[in-house]
Amino acid sequence: SVTFSADGKTLAVGCGDGTVRLWQADAANKFSNLMNPTVLSLGKNQGSVGAVRFSPDGSMLGAQGHNGIRLWEVH
């Protein structure tokens, strides 16, 4: 699953290893540093990420795994 934040400056990708990878756009609004994402984990026994979504105001990120969901504050 892939989603952009409402402001278009953060890209979140749900991965098969149970992680969510976040990339930030640079000043030119390009995602040029694709080798060093921020990695968030759903935790043990969650399997792959089925969906990722930002809240409408962009303050929260949610991800769904096999056994539930996880929420993170976005700074």
Side-chain angles (χ1 to χ4, degrees):
S1 181
V2 176
T3 190
F4 282 95
S5 60
D7 64 5
K9 294 183 179 181
T10 305
L11 172 66
V13 177
C15 301
D17 64 358
T19 62
V20 176
R21 297 173 194 274
L22 300 174
W23 288 275
Q24 301 295 319
D26 61 21
N29 209 28
K30 295 181 180 177
F31 294 90
S32 57
N33 191 9
L34 294 178
M35 299 304 291
N36 295 310
T38 299
V39 179
L40 306 172
S41 176
L42 284 179
K44 283 187 162 191
N45 303 319
Q46 287 293 325
S48 62
V49 175
V52 290
R53 298 287 184 272
F54 285 95
S55 62
D57 67 359
S59 67
M60 300 289 292
L61 174 68
Q64 173 259 322
H66 289 292
N67 296 319
I69 61 170
R70 176 118 187 233
L71 298 172
W72 296 275
E73 287 186 48
V74 177
H75 301 284

